[in-house]
Amino acid sequence: PSNARPITRKRKIMRKTFEQLFEALSNHARDVSFHVQYWDGVKKSYGAGEPQFILTMTTKQAAEHVLESGSLGFGEEYMAGGIQVEGDFTQLLRFGADNAFLNLPIGLKAKLAIKHLRQASLNTLSRSTKHVAHHYDRGNDFYKLWLDDSMAYSCGYFRYENDTLEQAQQQKYEHICRKLQLKAGETLIDIGCGWGGMLIYAAKHYGVRGVGCTLSKEQVEYAVDLVKRQGLSKEISIVFEDYRKIEGTFDKFVSIGMFEHVGKQFIPTFMEKVKSILNPGGIGLLHTIGQELPVPGDPWTLKYIFPGGYIPTLDEIVRTMCEAKLIPTDIENLRLHYARTVEEWIARFEVQAKKVESMYDASFVRLWRMFLNGCVANFRYGDMRLYHVLFTKGLNNTMPLTREHLYR
């Protein structure tokens, strides 16, 4: 055919681009060995020893999609089966944060699609409910399959190497309660309370009265029922409400894993709301994923996992707190605790993978497999951090002089 030569040349260029990419990735992570198999059966090996993973691009179209759309194309092809991965998926996904991959020139169509994604992710009052529902209203039965007994969907706190996920999550609640110096009779507001685990722990172990809010209807239904079954309906109230509409004042404040959904434009709004609902001298703790330097959000994650999501920098968190007269008193980075937590989730998820597939479909399983493994890669090898930022509303001269009260 008259166009055979241009097609052949295009394939050769594409193959060369991939080979240069994988060579660069291998040079940047010499502890990783892997094989890449192309759509025509050609296989290339990188690194020394047995491969930790084998990446297969089953069709030329799948390969083209990756080059055209970067991480968005890779994720969509993996979900569809055009890309297959055998072995340690985390070791492959750690390359997603490598500049050799991030700097691949993507096509105009992909650039426009990504720009639209970011514009549509603004967390206005009307959009926030939709964004939260996309992720958290997958169904309580789904999350029950792989979370701990308290349904904590956030970083645990591993005091010892052999701690179970259940222990780590209870230890997380205890760690936060000690940081907040909770006392019986105090009031606690939990913004983004999830399935209610933190409030239930605080009420049972510290005698506080609490209010929690979430924009997930599934979470509200589950948490309200759980609070009732625990006999804590007089102590805890769970409401379906946006944080911007919460009223009243409280002695203590906590937010665990919700701040990532606020969005860059609304960080000052969030801090002003915290100031308005926290009593003078009150203590708060913000538990959030963050990073040291601003990095654009991953478009695949924004489209399929967390629409409206934004990972703040530590600078943004501290600066906007201070602008709202909230004074940071202690910052802890629990990065490796989150890697351990998600590794526990992955192990449980894989045990239940067939059941998840029967509830949804194979693409849904691959989507979550990629998301969870990507989280581990980002926390172990990439730029993601997990910050505990403790703060007070205005000066509080009764704060402990040391951290001893956390570890007694």
Short mmCIF file of all heavy atoms in Angstrom, two decimals, residues 2 28 30 65 126-128 135 140 163 261 279 306 312 316 320 344 347 359 373:
data_model
loop_
_atom_site.label_atom_id
_atom_site.label_comp_id
_atom_site.label_asym_id
_atom_site.label_seq_id
_atom_site.Cartn_x
_atom_site.Cartn_y
_atom_site.Cartn_z
N SER A 2 0.32 2.34 -0.54
CA SER A 2 1.11 3.56 -0.66
C SER A 2 1.47 4.16 0.68
O SER A 2 2.45 4.89 0.81
CB SER A 2 0.32 4.58 -1.49
OG SER A 2 -0.92 4.87 -0.85
N HIS A 28 17.28 5.61 36.40
CA HIS A 28 16.91 6.40 37.58
C HIS A 28 16.53 5.53 38.77
O HIS A 28 16.41 6.04 39.89
CB HIS A 28 15.74 7.33 37.24
CG HIS A 28 16.07 8.34 36.21
ND1 HIS A 28 15.12 9.12 35.58
CD2 HIS A 28 17.27 8.72 35.67
CE1 HIS A 28 15.71 9.92 34.70
NE2 HIS A 28 17.01 9.69 34.74
N ARG A 30 17.88 1.94 39.67
CA ARG A 30 18.68 0.76 39.34
C ARG A 30 18.34 -0.46 40.20
O ARG A 30 18.81 -1.56 39.92
CB ARG A 30 20.17 1.09 39.45
CG ARG A 30 20.61 2.13 38.40
CD ARG A 30 22.11 2.28 38.35
NE ARG A 30 22.53 3.20 37.29
CZ ARG A 30 22.68 2.87 36.04
NH1 ARG A 30 22.45 1.62 35.65
NH2 ARG A 30 23.07 3.76 35.13
N HIS A 65 -1.92 5.55 22.81
CA HIS A 65 -2.71 6.29 23.80
C HIS A 65 -1.82 6.79 24.94
O HIS A 65 -2.00 7.90 25.44
CB HIS A 65 -3.83 5.39 24.33
CG HIS A 65 -4.90 6.14 25.07
ND1 HIS A 65 -5.95 5.51 25.67
CD2 HIS A 65 -5.07 7.46 25.33
CE1 HIS A 65 -6.73 6.40 26.25
NE2 HIS A 65 -6.22 7.60 26.06
N SER A 126 -22.37 23.54 44.94
CA SER A 126 -23.18 22.63 44.14
C SER A 126 -22.38 21.43 43.64
O SER A 126 -22.91 20.33 43.52
CB SER A 126 -23.79 23.37 42.94
OG SER A 126 -22.76 23.93 42.13
N ARG A 127 -21.10 21.64 43.35
CA ARG A 127 -20.29 20.55 42.81
C ARG A 127 -19.74 19.62 43.88
O ARG A 127 -19.48 18.44 43.63
CB ARG A 127 -19.12 21.10 42.00
CG ARG A 127 -19.50 21.64 40.63
CD ARG A 127 -18.28 22.19 39.94
NE ARG A 127 -18.57 22.73 38.62
CZ ARG A 127 -17.74 23.50 37.94
NH1 ARG A 127 -16.57 23.83 38.46
NH2 ARG A 127 -18.07 23.96 36.75
N SER A 128 -19.50 20.14 45.08
CA SER A 128 -18.81 19.35 46.11
C SER A 128 -19.53 18.05 46.43
O SER A 128 -18.92 17.00 46.57
CB SER A 128 -18.64 20.19 47.38
OG SER A 128 -17.68 21.20 47.20
N HIS A 135 -16.76 9.28 44.74
CA HIS A 135 -15.79 8.39 45.37
C HIS A 135 -16.38 7.62 46.56
O HIS A 135 -16.24 6.40 46.65
CB HIS A 135 -14.57 9.19 45.85
CG HIS A 135 -13.43 8.33 46.29
ND1 HIS A 135 -12.48 7.83 45.42
CD2 HIS A 135 -13.09 7.85 47.51
CE1 HIS A 135 -11.61 7.10 46.10
NE2 HIS A 135 -11.97 7.09 47.36
N ASN A 140 -21.25 1.12 50.83
CA ASN A 140 -20.59 0.72 52.07
C ASN A 140 -20.10 -0.72 52.01
O ASN A 140 -19.08 -1.06 52.60
CB ASN A 140 -21.54 0.91 53.25
CG ASN A 140 -21.84 2.38 53.52
OD1 ASN A 140 -21.02 3.25 53.24
ND2 ASN A 140 -23.03 2.66 54.03
N ASP A 163 1.99 -4.59 64.03
CA ASP A 163 0.64 -4.11 64.28
C ASP A 163 -0.30 -4.49 63.14
O ASP A 163 0.07 -4.41 61.96
CB ASP A 163 0.63 -2.57 64.41
CG ASP A 163 1.12 -2.09 65.75
OD1 ASP A 163 1.17 -2.90 66.69
OD2 ASP A 163 1.48 -0.90 65.86
N HIS A 261 -10.04 17.41 49.62
CA HIS A 261 -11.21 17.65 48.79
C HIS A 261 -11.65 19.12 48.79
O HIS A 261 -12.61 19.47 48.11
CB HIS A 261 -12.39 16.79 49.27
CG HIS A 261 -12.12 15.33 49.22
ND1 HIS A 261 -12.12 14.60 48.04
CD2 HIS A 261 -11.81 14.44 50.20
CE1 HIS A 261 -11.82 13.33 48.31
NE2 HIS A 261 -11.64 13.22 49.60
N ASN A 279 -13.57 27.62 69.60
CA ASN A 279 -13.55 28.56 70.70
C ASN A 279 -12.16 29.19 70.87
O ASN A 279 -11.15 28.56 70.51
CB ASN A 279 -13.95 27.87 72.01
CG ASN A 279 -15.42 27.51 72.04
OD1 ASN A 279 -16.24 28.20 71.45
ND2 ASN A 279 -15.76 26.43 72.72
N PHE A 306 -10.73 11.00 42.29
CA PHE A 306 -11.08 12.14 43.13
C PHE A 306 -11.35 13.40 42.32
O PHE A 306 -10.52 14.31 42.27
CB PHE A 306 -9.95 12.44 44.12
CG PHE A 306 -9.82 11.45 45.24
CD1 PHE A 306 -8.61 10.79 45.44
CD2 PHE A 306 -10.88 11.18 46.09
CE1 PHE A 306 -8.47 9.88 46.48
CE2 PHE A 306 -10.75 10.26 47.12
CZ PHE A 306 -9.54 9.61 47.32
N PRO A 312 -2.53 19.90 48.80
CA PRO A 312 -1.93 21.18 49.15
C PRO A 312 -0.45 21.02 49.52
O PRO A 312 0.01 19.93 49.87
CB PRO A 312 -2.73 21.62 50.38
CG PRO A 312 -3.10 20.31 51.03
CD PRO A 312 -3.35 19.34 49.89
N GLU A 316 1.18 26.14 51.85
CA GLU A 316 -0.19 26.64 51.74
C GLU A 316 -0.96 26.41 53.03
O GLU A 316 -1.73 27.26 53.48
CB GLU A 316 -0.92 25.94 50.60
CG GLU A 316 -0.50 26.38 49.21
CD GLU A 316 -1.19 25.56 48.14
OE1 GLU A 316 -1.06 24.32 48.15
OE2 GLU A 316 -1.85 26.17 47.28
N THR A 320 -1.99 29.77 55.22
CA THR A 320 -3.41 30.14 55.32
C THR A 320 -3.94 29.97 56.74
O THR A 320 -4.86 30.68 57.14
CB THR A 320 -4.26 29.32 54.33
OG1 THR A 320 -4.01 27.93 54.50
CG2 THR A 320 -3.96 29.73 52.90
N GLU A 344 -1.69 -2.61 53.48
CA GLU A 344 -2.67 -3.48 54.15
C GLU A 344 -3.98 -3.49 53.37
O GLU A 344 -4.62 -4.54 53.22
CB GLU A 344 -2.90 -2.99 55.58
CG GLU A 344 -1.71 -3.15 56.51
CD GLU A 344 -1.46 -4.59 56.88
OE1 GLU A 344 -2.41 -5.40 56.84
OE2 GLU A 344 -0.30 -4.93 57.20
N ALA A 347 -3.63 -5.74 50.23
CA ALA A 347 -3.68 -7.17 50.54
C ALA A 347 -5.12 -7.63 50.73
O ALA A 347 -5.52 -8.70 50.22
CB ALA A 347 -2.85 -7.46 51.79
N MET A 359 -19.49 -7.54 41.92
CA MET A 359 -20.32 -6.41 42.33
C MET A 359 -20.32 -5.30 41.27
O MET A 359 -21.32 -4.60 41.10
CB MET A 359 -19.80 -5.83 43.66
CG MET A 359 -19.96 -6.78 44.85
SD MET A 359 -18.99 -6.23 46.29
CE MET A 359 -19.75 -4.65 46.68
N ASN A 373 -2.21 0.88 44.43
CA ASN A 373 -0.77 0.67 44.23
C ASN A 373 -0.06 1.99 43.93
O ASN A 373 1.10 2.18 44.34
CB ASN A 373 -0.53 -0.34 43.11
CG ASN A 373 -0.70 -1.77 43.57
OD1 ASN A 373 0.22 -2.39 44.10
ND2 ASN A 373 -1.90 -2.32 43.37
#
